[in-house]
């Protein structure tokens, strides 16, 4: 099982909130405890590889803070995980049925994501994130 973690990281000097760090840790910990391979978008590779990783994932998690919101590519990752068109080759992505959006510190659901196909689980606290991750595992 694979999980794609959509997180924004342009430089290491970006200050993140404690909630963002806690959410990142929760996802990484979940993956370790459940033998889920985690592809992290902060480990940048080319766009073709990013889309390949999203397509090969079972779970998509977006950690949405002000930096994630400012990136058009992050919005594209989510749209691609919803079956949207590739920015690389124009082919549709695989619509993942397990997509989780974690809203950091009162950030609102990004307007660029309105209209993407359901289901989307939107959470804003670590307990709900842990519950959503646990529910994403096969029964």
């Amino acid at each position: 099982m694979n999980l794609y973690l959509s997180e924004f990281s342009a430089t290491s000097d970006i200050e993140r909130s404690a909630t963002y760090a806690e959410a990142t840790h929760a996802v990484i910990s979940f993956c370790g405890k459940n033998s889920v391979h985690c592809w992290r978008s902060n480990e940048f590779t080319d766009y073709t590889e990013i889309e390949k990783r999203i397509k090969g994932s079972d779970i998509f998690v977006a950690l949405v803070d002000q930096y994630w919101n400012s990136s058009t590519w992050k919005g594209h990752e989510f749209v691609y995980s919803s079956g949207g068109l590739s920015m690389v080759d124009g082919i549709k992505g695989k619509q993942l049925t397990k997509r989780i959006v974690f809203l950091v510190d009162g950030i609102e659901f990004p307007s660029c994501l309105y209209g993407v196909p359901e289901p989307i689980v939107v959470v804003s606290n670590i307990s709900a994130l842990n519950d959503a991750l646990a529910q994403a595992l096969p029964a």
Side-chain angles (χ1 to χ4, degrees):
M1 176 169 264
N2 297 311
L3 179 145
Y4 186 85
L5 178 57
S6 179
E7 54 191 322
F8 182 85
S9 180
T11 63
S12 59
D13 62 339
I14 292 176
E15 274 197 43
R16 292 325 242 284
S17 73
T19 305
Y20 186 91
E22 192 177 353
T24 303
H25 176 75
V27 174
I28 302 300
S29 177
F30 164 82
C31 290
K33 290 176 185 171
N34 293 286
S35 300
V36 173
H37 180 268
C38 182
W39 279 311
R40 297 182 66 183
S41 67
N42 73 340
E43 299 163 350
F44 182 78
T45 185
D46 67 42
Y47 297 124
T48 302
E49 183 65 22
I50 290 170
E51 288 182 350
K52 180 180 169 188
R53 290 175 179 185
I54 293 169
K55 203 171 200 174
S57 293
D58 306 288
I59 305 168
F60 182 97
V61 178
L63 301 182
V64 179
D65 65 358
Q66 71 272 24
Y67 301 110
W68 193 99
N69 260 342
S70 70
S71 168
T72 55
W73 182 259
K74 293 295 135 188
H76 168 70
E77 288 178 356
F78 192 88
V79 169
Y80 188 69
S81 76
S82 304
L85 294 179
S86 163
M87 288 183 71
V88 175
D89 59 17
I91 297 173
K92 280 188 154 196
K94 175 176 116 183
Q95 183 176 343
L96 304 179
T97 57
K98 299 169 184 174
R99 288 173 287 141
I100 302 166
V101 174
F102 181 83
L103 302 175
V104 179
D105 297 333
I107 291 289
E108 293 185 20
F109 189 76
S111 60
C112 66
L113 304 184
Y114 286 114
V116 296
E118 298 286 336
I120 304 166
V121 177
V122 180
V123 296
S124 57
N125 65 60
I126 300 301
S127 176
L129 175 60
N130 285 323
D131 290 346
L133 289 166
Q135 291 171 5
L137 290 174

